[in-house]
Amino acid sequence: MTRPTLFLTVGLPCTGKTTAAGRIEIERKALRLTKDEWVKALYGHENPPSAQDVIEGRLIEIGLRALELGNNVVIDFGLWSRDERSALRQAAADLAALVEMHYFALTPAEQRRRLDRRQAEAPHTTWPMSDEELAEWAASIDIPTPGELDGSEPVDEPPAGFATWNEWRARRWPPAVS
């Protein structure tokens, strides 16, 4: 029996994460968990940050259960922080699953072009995003290191104040909207 794989898509909006996740879903028979589809279905034009965190957390728990059952899983959201990625890498390791991380980057001009095209062609799949927001997000992403991407770098220790990555995950991705 082969070990299941957790595929992580990392990148800013409109960089190709969902397109790649769809390809992984088919080619690797993976359960695809795309946060934006759930936020859109539940909140329509709204995009509440507190709900995003809860939805991400619920999808992660579903994904981890699927891994435990031997299924491949692709997590299709930005995973901008190294801590998020470390927590998921550790959770996969705890389940004896493999991890493949895919990082997507584009120039700001190409990102804007893709966002404008998506907004024109499929507005039900996205939200408006200003150039200021895109620049702010680009400044805040922790770009994965080569060792993080190829899995040769060990998973970091949990941040100060957390004994385990599971404890950190529970705080980062709360179980309910507060």
Side-chain angles (χ1 to χ4, degrees):
M1 186 167 112
T2 61
R3 292 167 53 192
T5 301
L6 176 63
F7 299 91
L8 302 176
T9 61
V10 180
L12 295 168
C14 294
T15 55
K17 294 181 309 296
T18 299
T19 299
R23 191 170 43 253
I24 293 167
E25 172 186 30
I26 292 165
E27 292 172 0
R28 300 294 296 273
K29 296 178 176 33
L31 174 63
R32 179 178 55 86
L33 300 170
T34 301
K35 175 193 67 174
D36 288 353
E37 291 174 357
W38 285 89
V39 174
K40 276 291 190 181
L42 294 170
Y43 293 96
H45 297 297
E46 300 299 315
N47 192 7
S50 62
Q52 285 186 43
D53 293 345
V54 172
I55 290 169
E56 284 182 10
R58 297 295 86 213
L59 292 175
I60 287 166
E61 292 307 312
I62 290 167
L64 295 177
R65 179 64 178 138
L67 283 174
E68 187 176 34
L69 295 171
N71 299 292
N72 293 333
V73 174
V74 57
I75 300 288
D76 176 24
F77 24 102
L79 302 172
W80 296 352
S81 85
R82 183 177 173 103
D83 284 347
E84 291 171 326
R85 299 186 303 267
S86 292
L88 294 176
R89 289 175 63 206
Q90 184 61 58
D94 292 346
L95 297 170
L98 303 171
V99 175
E100 278 188 31
M101 191 179 306
H102 300 266
Y103 174 61
F104 302 87
L106 292 173
T107 65
E110 178 61 15
Q111 184 186 20
R112 171 49 62 191
R113 187 188 70 72
R114 286 185 182 191
L115 178 59
D116 291 345
R117 186 177 72 218
R118 184 189 297 173
Q119 194 68 51
E121 295 174 2
H124 61 283
T125 67
T126 191
W127 296 268
M129 296 173 226
S130 69
D131 289 338
E132 291 78 21
E133 287 172 313
L134 293 175
E136 178 184 326
W137 298 333
S140 69
I141 189 171
D142 293 329
I143 296 172
T145 64
E148 192 182 7
L149 287 169
D150 69 18
S152 64
E153 202 170 284
V155 175
D156 296 336
E157 291 296 318
F162 295 94
T164 66
W165 278 114
N166 285 339
E167 184 184 330
W168 183 90
R169 249 187 21 243
R171 173 75 60 85
R172 168 61 184 89
W173 292 296
V177 175
S178 46

